[in-house]
Amino acid sequence: MTELTRRSLLRTSAAAGTAAFAGLPALAQSREITVTALGGVWEEAVRKSFVAPFEQKTGAKANVLLGSPPQWLSQVEANPKNPPIDVIITTPDLAITAAKTDLLDPFTTERLPNLADIPEEFTKALSGKGTVFDYGVAGITYNKKTVKNPPKSFREFVDRTAAGEWTASLPGLTYAVTPIMLIWTLAKALGGSVDNVDPFFQAMERMRKNVVFWGGPNDFFNHLSSGEADIGIYFDGRTWAHVDAGADWMDFVNPSEGGSINALAVIKPKNAKPLAWDYIDVMLSPEAQLRFATMLNYPVTNRKVVYPDALKRRFTPWQQAHFPPYEEIAKVRSAWVDRWNREIRG
């Protein structure tokens, strides 16, 4: 870097000749930001719901970067003074980790007027350095043709699975969210906690002979569509997406104990371009969030969003589910994994 500077200084006459133009690319770049999206229909939803209204409102450009949250956060961590990404969509646990390492700017209503309409629980959960903008609930999805009387609670689900009434499909250990959507959720529903997951492992011992495991969301759908399983623990939004695609034999129940909230958050790296605040404020607006919810079949967090009746019937209010204690789970996750490998092996 030093050598490059010395060489450039030797070309002062050339530099003087081009000085008048040097600011133009920088000026153009200052009106561009880089934002993130997951692939597939997610990218389309981000472009239509967030990018388009942001560009129309500001006249600036938002370049969409595809990938995964760990990858994006690694890129920011490698260059925190000049982050290559201005707005990141991530899981809450990774957002909390990034906040602890001082990589993120705090969210305030002064910077984000629409934040005032997001329940404060979703911002406090991320130490004030980001907020949840959409979520799904992991509950019970079943085949209406083979399960005529679905369980109303997790406890009933466990009892009837153990009794051999059906074969249940559950997320396996290879799926990243399993410690939250299965281990913690069932432990809590059965009287346990982060510090006591014995109820989960006892339930698994009872159910094991009538259980198959899925490693990815498509595996679960294949289990039910092939008849390998009749019921299982799955996401509401993905269930409705399958229904809309023609699988009208599927249905979803939010158990009486409340399923786990599986959310996505938005964060802004420190030193990212100020235009990032405009983009995030668009993301949190009721108009943009409604379009996003309509496209993806997942509820959003702005309390001013008014869903059409068809969506409202599907969506579980966040107050009827449970926000996982990510920090506490992170401390014991490895112990849970080790115990799973010893006792369940699936």
Side-chain angles (χ1 to χ4, degrees), residues 69-332:
Q71 169 193 347
W72 299 325
L73 286 167
S74 294
Q75 290 177 256
V76 170
E77 192 172 16
N79 193 5
K81 293 185 178 180
N82 186 25
I85 306 172
D86 300 291
V87 179
I88 297 177
I89 289 171
T90 184
T91 54
D93 54 332
L94 291 176
I96 291 168
T97 300
K100 284 186 172 183
T101 56
D102 202 29
L103 282 176
L104 308 179
D105 275 331
F107 278 25
T108 66
T109 53
E110 289 73 26
R111 289 167 165 168
L112 302 165
N114 282 311
L115 186 65
D117 297 316
I118 307 297
E120 62 181 8
E121 289 88 347
F122 289 121
T123 306
K124 283 185 175 180
L126 305 185
S127 305
K129 294 186 175 181
T131 195
V132 170
F133 70 94
D134 93 318
Y135 69 93
V137 172
I140 298 171
T141 295
Y142 63 98
N143 185 334
K144 293 190 292 185
K145 296 178 180 178
T146 59
V147 179
K148 303 296 185 182
N149 177 30
K152 305 298 189 297
S153 67
F154 280 126
R155 186 176 294 275
E156 183 185 351
F157 170 82
V158 169
D159 289 343
R160 292 169 68 182
T161 302
E165 189 169 332
W166 49 57
T167 297
S169 178
L170 303 179
L173 198 57
T174 58
Y175 190 61
V177 191
T178 293
I180 293 169
M181 69 180 291
L182 184 65
I183 300 177
W184 173 74
T185 299
L186 281 189
K188 179 179 176 63
L190 299 172
S193 64
V194 171
D195 298 320
N196 175 24
V197 291
D198 288 347
F200 163 76
F201 285 98
Q202 291 162 2
M204 285 301 304
E205 184 178 4
R206 294 175 56 209
M207 294 190 295
R208 184 65 183 92
K209 63 182 180 297
N210 300 313
V211 163
V212 294
F213 293 104
W214 54 268
N218 288 336
D219 297 339
F220 177 86
F221 175 76
N222 292 336
H223 284 166
L224 262 64
S225 61
S226 68
E228 187 175 353
D230 309 289
I231 194 169
I233 294 180
Y234 198 56
F235 304 108
D236 51 358
R238 284 189 177 270
T239 300
W240 304 130
H242 290 309
V243 170
D244 289 343
D248 57 359
W249 45 268
M250 297 179 75
D251 207 346
F252 177 85
V253 172
N254 179 40
S256 59
E257 303 95 342
S260 63
I261 290 177
N262 293 266
L264 283 168
V266 56
I267 55 177
K268 176 189 175 293
K270 276 189 173 181
N271 303 312
K273 298 183 185 72
L275 268 173
W277 293 122
D278 297 89
Y279 182 84
I280 296 169
D281 199 50
V282 167
M283 287 183 67
L284 301 182
S285 69
E287 301 82 8
Q289 289 215 333
L290 177 58
R291 181 160 194 167
F292 191 80
T294 302
M295 293 185 69
L296 289 186
N297 267 303
Y298 281 108
V300 286
T301 54
N302 189 309
R303 59 169 62 93
K304 287 186 175 179
V305 172
V306 179
Y307 300 113
D309 288 342
L311 287 183
K312 189 175 182 179
R313 286 193 296 269
R314 291 179 168 185
F315 290 166
T316 302
W318 65 270
Q319 299 92 334
Q320 296 175 18
H322 299 286
F323 201 85
Y326 290 102
E327 287 191 78
E328 289 80 0
I329 290 174
K331 297 173 185 175
V332 294

